[in-house]
Amino acid sequence: MPIYEYLCTKCGSHFEKLQKSADLSGLECPTCGSVEIKKEFSTFSSAGSSSSAAGCFSGG
Ligand SMILES: [Zn+2]
């Protein structure tokens, strides 16, 4: 499951969620509880760049 990034438009809090899809339904800000959430554009799937990632996720 991919991690999606979201931004609360009310308090400006930035958070991530593990979701099957980028659906915003049912989402709420973990900081203020607002449902006014906006999906952030992920840095993944950007064409034109060919640099290796510095980070590495390990399975667990
Ligand atoms: Zn918030």
Side-chain angles (χ1 to χ4, degrees):
M1 247 190 290
I3 296 178
Y4 290 93
E5 297 178 38
Y6 300 94
L7 178 74
C8 174
T9 58
K10 187 168 184 176
C11 73
S13 181
H14 178 99
F15 60 97
E16 295 158 359
K17 275 246 178 196
L18 262 174
Q19 296 224 129
K20 288 180 191 167
S21 71
D23 196 354
L24 291 173
S25 59
L27 268 179
E28 63 178 43
C29 175
T31 302
C32 73
S34 170
V35 293
E36 309 226 351
I37 306 301
K38 195 169 81 171
K39 185 180 180 295
E40 290 265 84
F41 285 106
S42 179
T43 50
F44 289 101
S45 68
S46 63
S49 189
S50 59
S51 58
S52 53
C56 183
F57 290 100
S58 59

